């Protein structure tokens, strides 16, 4: 049995890269505290069911995901689909500027959903996977550098501008890779 959770369960000021043992070592991000607490409860439930009933429950925590099924909502999508939408719309409208939220300095790891699926399959094939493990790429990029890549890929000519009045996100959200067997996940 596998449970997937997001890295937003870690304290908002975690050391980087985020390691599994940093869980519950500080205050959670206030904007998603209820989500984080629900996921932490599920993670703990899996761990205790495994210990008490000897069932193979474990959890995987992927980094920021992208791929088919992503939400491109203009106000509440994740970084990559939000940037894709903004640059596509700017190109279609011939805009000279494309505003992105914040300073562009926060860093994010991005993982395609197919890579996540491969990581989960890898974990499920282990005889004794860890209680939980971070599934990551090990490579992070600034929001600004991601925006520049998207701008180029979309073929948008508009200049990137920073809107520092908009909500700032955590500077880093990079979970640390750990081999469920002891030395590092393949491709991490």
């Amino acid at each position: 049995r596998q449970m997937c959770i997001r890295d937003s369960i870690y304290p908002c000021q975690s050391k980087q890269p985020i390691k599994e043992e940093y869980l519950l070592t500080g205050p959670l991000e206030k904007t998603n505290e209820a989500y984080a607490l629900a996921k932490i409860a599920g993670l703990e439930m899996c761990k205790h069911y495994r210990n008490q009933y000897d069932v193979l429950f474990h959890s995987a925590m992927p980094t920021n995901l992208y791929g088919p099924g992503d939400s491109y909502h203009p106000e509440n999508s994740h970084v990559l689909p939000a940037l894709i939408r903004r640059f596509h719309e700017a190109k279609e409208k011939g805009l000279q500027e494309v505003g992105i939220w914040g300073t562009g300095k926060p860093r994010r790891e991005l993982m395609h959903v197919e890579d996540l699926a491969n990581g989960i399959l890898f974990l499920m094939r282990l005889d004794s996977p860890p209680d939980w493990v971070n599934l990551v790429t090990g490579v992070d990029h600034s929001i600004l550098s991601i925006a520049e890549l998207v701008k180029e890929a979309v073929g948008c000519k508009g200049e990137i501008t920073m809107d520092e009045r908009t909500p700032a996100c955590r500077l880093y959200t990079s979970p640390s890779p750990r081999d469920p067997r002891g030395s590092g996940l393949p491709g991490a």
Side-chain angles (χ1 to χ4, degrees):
R1 309 262 190 247
Q2 177 78 47
M3 179 174 140
C4 268
I5 50 183
R6 288 282 320 273
D7 64 349
S8 48
I9 67 168
Y10 285 115
C12 58
Q13 300 299 323
S14 287
K15 290 187 261 177
Q16 298 296 320
I18 300 171
K19 297 179 181 175
E20 290 88 348
E21 59 263 24
Y22 296 168
L23 185 68
L24 299 173
T25 60
L28 300 169
E29 178 69 42
K30 289 293 180 194
T31 59
N32 66 338
E33 187 175 47
Y35 170 88
L37 288 171
K39 295 300 181 177
I40 291 168
L43 185 135
E44 289 295 309
M45 179 190 71
C46 288
K47 182 171 74 173
H48 291 289
Y49 272 22
R50 184 177 184 169
N51 292 335
Q52 185 173 353
Y53 300 113
D54 197 32
V55 291
L56 192 56
F57 284 0
H58 57 100
S59 302
M61 187 167 32
T63 191
N64 299 284
L65 300 172
Y66 69 95
D70 241 329
S71 168
Y72 292 85
H73 190 278
E75 299 295 322
N76 58 21
S77 56
H78 289 114
V79 170
L80 191 57
L83 291 172
I84 291 170
R85 180 184 177 127
R86 285 189 186 205
F87 284 105
H88 173 74
E89 288 178 349
K91 178 183 175 184
E92 293 292 308
K93 295 175 183 176
L95 299 178
Q96 299 300 308
E97 290 186 351
V98 181
I100 63 172
W101 287 13
T103 64
K105 293 178 184 175
R107 302 185 69 80
R108 294 293 178 271
E109 272 193 44
L110 300 171
M111 178 186 289
H112 193 272
V113 293
E114 288 183 16
D115 294 326
L116 170 65
N118 288 332
I120 290 172
L121 286 172
F122 174 82
L123 287 170
M124 293 177 80
R125 291 181 179 131
L126 294 175
D127 291 333
S128 184
D131 285 333
W132 87 87
V133 65
N134 293 332
L135 290 177
V136 300
T137 64
V139 177
D140 66 0
H141 306 277
S142 72
I143 301 292
L144 179 57
S145 68
I146 296 168
E148 290 166 345
L149 288 170
V150 171
K151 173 185 169 181
E152 182 179 335
V154 169
C156 179
K157 304 295 184 206
E159 179 184 339
I160 298 173
T161 60
M162 305 300 168
D163 185 354
E164 295 184 27
R165 299 169 296 149
T166 53
C169 46
R170 296 189 332 187
L171 280 180
Y172 298 95
T173 58
S174 296
S176 174
R178 172 175 66 131
D179 182 342
R181 301 160 302 173
S183 66
L185 271 173

